[in-house]
Amino acid sequence: MLLLCCLAAGTASAAQTLVLAVATYRPPEHNVHQWQPLADYLTEKLNGPQVVLLALSHDEIRDRLARQTVDVVITEASDYVMLRNRNPLTALLATRVPQYQGKRMIGSGGVIFARSARDDIGGLAQLPGKRIAAVHPASLGGYQAQLMSLAQAGIARETLGPVRFVGGAHDQVVDAVLAGEADVGFARSGLLEALIAEGRLEAGALKVLNAQGLPSYPYALSTRLYPEWPVFAAAHLKPELARRIAAALMTLEPDQAAAVAAGIAGFEPAADYSPVENLLRSLRLPPYDLTPAFSLADVWARHRPAILLGGASIIAIAGLALALGRINVRLRAEKLTLEQARQALALSDQRNRETLTTLAQTLAELESERTRLDNIIWGTGACSWEWDIATATVRMNERWANFVGHRLDELLPTTIETWRRFVHPEDLIRAEAALRRHLDGDIDHYECEYRLHRRDGSWRWVLDRGRIVERDRAGKPLRMVGTHTDIQRLKEQESALHSLAHLDPLTQLPNRRLFSDRLRHALARAVRGGARLAVCFIDLDAFKPINDRLGHEAGDRVLIETGERLRRTLRGADSVARIGGDEFALLIEDAADVGEDLLPLLERCLSAISQPIAIGEHRVVVSASIGVALFPQHGADEEALVYAADKAMYAAKALGKNRYCLAAQPPSDLPARPPEAG
């Protein structure tokens, strides 16, 4: 371990080296064997930097992040939450997807266990006063998830006996319990099964407390499931390289060597880690051990990129614009006073002449200050405006006109209608509503994002902010000033991240995450309207031989063409998604008449998939097995429907493939499309 770390630390100083740190869950040599193929895969995909692997403990990861000697980290979810609050990090890159016997798993948790011979320990109620062994206080699956289950059972951690943190691998927790050094052990789910498979633990030697018994989860489990390990980059890593790493991770297939060695099905867009944050807050664990309620620190931790991007420049510009508006008010007042003084000049004495001279000097100073502020705003690149509400005239600076592709003199006279003419019709109602709320006193300032039309025909996003700076004696708004800034690049980055998070990078179809979101909304609509819907799981038959015989590029071409054929076959309200490998999913809404509507649609899907696909000089043919689950007959929620459709799909394969099967029926009664002759 030490030799590996020293070697990697020395290598990490090279300009073409990227350091990948993975948290140690098993002994260091096991972690290196498990994750080194992924480091090699990234080296090949990135085609530039050499990826060096470090297997580190929780404390070592924190130390190296603080010293900026690691670039990319794969670790437990709670460790990520802690690191995010203590170190500047980029956005999450991905979440790993574990697999068991070729099936994707939906998270991980923790297991609570004791020796089978301990008759005095039969459940959580017997844990107060007992000695506990755990790997590390920052381990989600090895300590924190178990504490949450105990808290939900009404058992405070203060009532437990002494807790011994063994450090290093979770294997040492099992050793401590077997040796009698601890009464109860906390470890990550999957550990006991791994030790039994390796011959290091006798089956039946330990018993699991608070067993959850989830039918679709293959490991012993004592807690709820939490999101899997995240992948994130340190702040010093260039954004372009971070995006390339994320793309490489998303394209890792389950049958590739890196995925097989790591025991995963690949990676998916970053999961929602709010359940982990809620756990840490509830238990008052770091980084929430010192703040009893939601605070500004939480806001900073959650929204740091947006605050850094917009806060500094926008607040400074708005402050300058506000100061400029106030100077304009003073300037008009001084001009009025000066004019009155000039009218009385003929009747004034020497004292009035001296006052007039003072006012003139003040006016000159104000004009100079206004020019200075105009220059400062020009230097920030902001476009400023000043609206005389009573006359509807708007004073814009030259940069405002340049932003839309004009000279200022081409737009004169400028009024509020000038502004309306350039705002996108889809955004105008929202922008005017925000203005009205500020004018009516509902909000203390105006702020809106919208698109402006440019002379070249393009539309560009801006963030517009302003504030009332003058009112009459009755409080009626008279004058408002503000600025707008260019946020086009930010909008493009948001769009790119949304696409990466919700679309399959190969087929550009919705991915598993977006499909799940659409299914939840469809179920809500079906419950409200009493409608029926169908969830269909599709697995291509004999797809692997195409990959083996013609290569992955040919396989990718088959997947793309299959996705496009399914999309063309479905109705406009239905959805198709690629959920991994050669698996697709369909969401069929308004499936009221199975015989008249749904089954003919499935026939068309099978026919479309089975048409030959030309790949260079080859013509390949695939078929599909489809499992169908209906709401509400086969399940009342997302998890039940997905499970039923998946099971029905395997039934279709068992019946000979190239057919569909409905869920929850005996095989002999399963509606199935027989394979075509020939």
Side-chain angles (χ1 to χ4, degrees):
M1 169 69 177
L2 180 60
L3 177 60
L4 175 65
C5 294
C6 293
L7 175 61
T11 309
S13 62
Q16 294 300 315
T17 296
L18 186 144
V19 180
L20 169 65
V22 180
T24 53
Y25 155 53
R26 300 295 307 280
E29 62 277 6
H30 182 281
N31 285 276
V32 172
H33 176 76
Q34 180 182 13
W35 292 105
Q36 184 59 48
L38 179 64
D40 299 337
Y41 166 82
L42 289 175
T43 297
E44 178 184 353
K45 284 290 185 179
L46 297 179
N47 193 25
Q50 175 73 30
V51 179
V52 176
L53 175 69
L54 292 180
L56 304 176
S57 68
H58 294 278
D59 295 330
E60 289 171 330
I61 288 177
R62 295 175 189 174
D63 177 64
R64 284 185 170 271
L65 267 177
R67 293 189 287 114
Q68 298 187 0
T69 56
V70 295
D71 304 303
V72 179
V73 178
I74 305 177
T75 186
E76 289 191 276
S78 60
D79 211 20
Y80 160 70
V81 175
M82 166 69 77
L83 295 169
R84 185 186 64 189
N85 281 267
R86 293 186 175 181
N87 302 272
L89 306 175
T90 64
L92 283 168
L93 302 181
T95 293
R96 78 171 189 175
V97 181
Q99 68 172 349
Y100 178 77
Q101 295 182 350
K103 298 295 293 182
R104 297 166 62 96
M105 294 171 57
I106 55 175
S108 62
V111 61
I112 305 173
F113 57 89
R115 282 181 294 144
S116 298
R118 292 293 298 266
D119 296 332
D120 59 322
I121 304 176
L124 300 185
Q126 286 77 50
L127 263 61
K130 298 297 188 291
R131 299 170 300 161
I132 308 295
V135 64
H136 193 280
S139 174
L140 177 61
Y143 181 62
Q144 297 167 344
Q146 290 87 341
L147 286 188
M148 191 64 184
S149 293
L150 290 171
Q152 291 170 342
I155 301 173
R157 68 180 120 164
E158 292 80 8
T159 65
L160 302 176
V163 180
R164 175 190 172 194
F165 293 110
V166 300
H170 289 234
D171 305 42
Q172 297 173 255
V173 176
V174 175
D175 295 338
V177 173
L178 292 175
E181 299 170 1
D183 302 312
V184 177
F186 294 171
R188 176 181 166 86
S189 58
L191 174 69
L192 302 185
E193 290 80 1
L195 292 176
I196 292 173
E198 295 167 9
R200 297 180 52 199
L201 176 64
E202 182 181 350
L206 299 175
K207 59 182 175 182
V208 176
L209 310 181
N210 196 42
Q212 298 300 295
L214 296 181
S216 59
Y217 195 74
Y219 299 139
L221 187 68
S222 302
T223 72
R224 64 157 286 181
L225 293 175
Y226 292 92
E228 261 294 341
W229 289 17
V231 185
F232 58 90
H236 61 263
L237 193 68
K238 294 182 179 179
E240 189 275 335
L241 181 55
R243 286 193 293 270
R244 289 171 55 202
I245 294 171
L249 294 174
M250 296 297 178
T251 57
L252 179 65
E253 294 291 342
D255 57 352
Q256 291 182 264
V260 173
I264 60 176
F267 295 86
E268 63 184 7
D272 176 11
Y273 289 98
S274 57
V276 180
E277 295 185 27
N278 293 336
L279 176 149
L280 297 176
R281 286 193 176 93
S282 297
L283 297 178
R284 304 284 287 277
L285 294 175
Y288 306 113
D289 51 337
L290 301 179
T291 53
F294 192 77
S295 66
L296 291 177
D298 297 306
V299 176
W300 174 252
R302 290 186 178 189
H303 307 291
R304 181 184 301 176
I307 293 173
L308 293 177
L309 177 66
S313 61
I314 292 175
I315 290 174
I317 293 170
L320 291 172
L322 183 60
L324 181 61
R326 288 173 175 168
I327 288 175
N328 287 338
V329 173
R330 290 180 58 195
L331 184 59
R332 286 192 300 275
E334 295 293 350
K335 284 182 177 179
L336 179 60
T337 303
L338 179 60
E339 182 62 26
Q340 292 172 346
R342 285 173 177 167
Q343 292 175 0
L345 182 60
L347 303 176
S348 65
D349 55 14
Q350 183 61 31
R351 183 177 179 182
N352 289 339
R353 292 179 182 275
E354 293 174 356
T355 300
L356 184 61
T357 301
T358 301
L359 288 173
Q361 292 174 347
T362 301
L363 180 61
E365 292 171 358
L366 287 172
E367 289 283 6
S368 175
E369 182 67 11
R370 175 175 180 162
T371 300
R372 187 179 72 86
L373 287 176
D374 273 335
N375 290 335
I376 292 175
I377 291 179
W378 181 91
T380 65
C383 305
S384 66
W385 50 266
E386 181 180 341
W387 180 23
D388 188 321
I389 300 171
T391 65
T393 58
V394 178
R395 180 181 180 271
M396 303 168 176
N397 66 355
E398 185 72 34
R399 190 175 291 275
W400 200 105
N402 296 158
F403 184 84
V404 294
H406 292 271
R407 298 191 312 273
L408 184 58
D409 58 6
E410 293 176 334
L411 303 180
L412 295 176
T414 50
T415 67
I416 194 67
E417 290 301 324
T418 307
W419 171 74
R420 289 192 178 103
R421 192 169 72 246
F422 285 98
V423 178
H424 196 290
E426 295 177 1
D427 303 333
L428 182 58
I429 295 177
R430 179 165 44 83
E432 290 188 322
L435 271 175
R436 176 50 54 192
R437 291 184 63 203
H438 178 49
L439 294 175
D440 291 344
D442 296 335
I443 51 178
D444 63 353
H445 70 281
Y446 154 75
E447 180 175 315
C448 187
E449 295 179 0
Y450 57 78
R451 289 161 288 181
L452 284 177
H453 189 256
R454 298 167 64 101
R455 193 170 197 165
D456 60 7
S458 63
W459 295 91
R460 197 164 185 89
W461 282 97
V462 298
L463 173 61
D464 199 12
R465 290 172 56 94
R467 197 169 191 174
I468 297 168
V469 295
E470 185 180 1
R471 299 178 183 269
D472 62 15
R473 293 182 179 179
K476 182 179 179 181
L478 295 178
R479 192 168 300 276
M480 187 173 173
V481 299
T483 61
H484 78 237
T485 51
D486 185 355
I487 59 170
Q488 180 69 24
R489 181 171 297 179
L490 175 62
K491 285 292 184 179
E492 291 172 352
Q493 291 175 345
E494 289 177 353
S495 176
L497 288 174
H498 182 275
S499 176
L500 185 62
H502 294 90
L503 297 181
D504 172 51
L506 177 64
T507 64
Q508 292 302 298
L509 293 175
N511 59 16
R512 181 183 293 269
R513 186 175 188 178
L514 182 54
F515 179 80
S516 178
D517 183 66
R518 288 184 176 178
L519 177 54
R520 285 194 296 271
H521 284 84
L523 284 171
R525 290 193 296 271
V527 170
R528 289 195 301 269
R532 297 173 64 182
L533 60 82
V535 174
C536 308
F537 267 32
I538 302 175
D539 188 86
L540 299 184
D541 303 325
F543 174 75
K544 188 175 185 298
I546 295 175
N547 267 344
D548 296 341
R549 183 164 56 91
L550 302 179
H552 284 284
E553 289 187 3
D556 289 348
R557 183 70 187 88
V558 171
L559 294 174
I560 294 170
E561 179 63 23
T562 299
E564 179 60 23
R565 291 179 180 181
L566 287 172
R567 186 189 62 78
R568 292 197 302 263
T569 304
L570 294 185
R571 303 169 302 182
D574 303 330
S575 297
V576 57
R578 183 190 177 211
I579 58 176
D582 58 348
E583 295 180 346
F584 296 84
L586 308 181
L587 173 58
I588 311 298
E589 299 196 49
D590 192 20
D593 193 323
V594 175
E596 293 294 329
D597 298 323
L598 179 59
L599 298 187
L601 177 61
L602 295 178
E603 289 279 2
R604 293 195 297 273
C605 289
L606 287 171
S607 176
I609 293 172
S610 63
Q611 297 303 310
I613 301 173
I615 302 177
E617 299 176 353
H618 302 276
R619 289 171 63 83
V620 299
V621 177
V622 294
S623 61
S625 299
I626 305 178
V628 185
L630 300 176
F631 170 84
Q633 293 96 313
H634 302 140
D637 57 28
E638 176 189 357
E639 183 177 0
L641 287 171
V642 168
Y643 177 78
D646 188 54
K647 189 174 181 181
M649 183 265 289
Y650 280 103
K653 282 189 175 294
L655 288 171
K657 306 179 181 179
N658 192 24
R659 64 188 66 220
Y660 52 78
C661 288
L662 293 181
Q665 295 183 3
S668 60
D669 298 330
L670 287 173
R673 175 182 184 270
E676 297 178 1

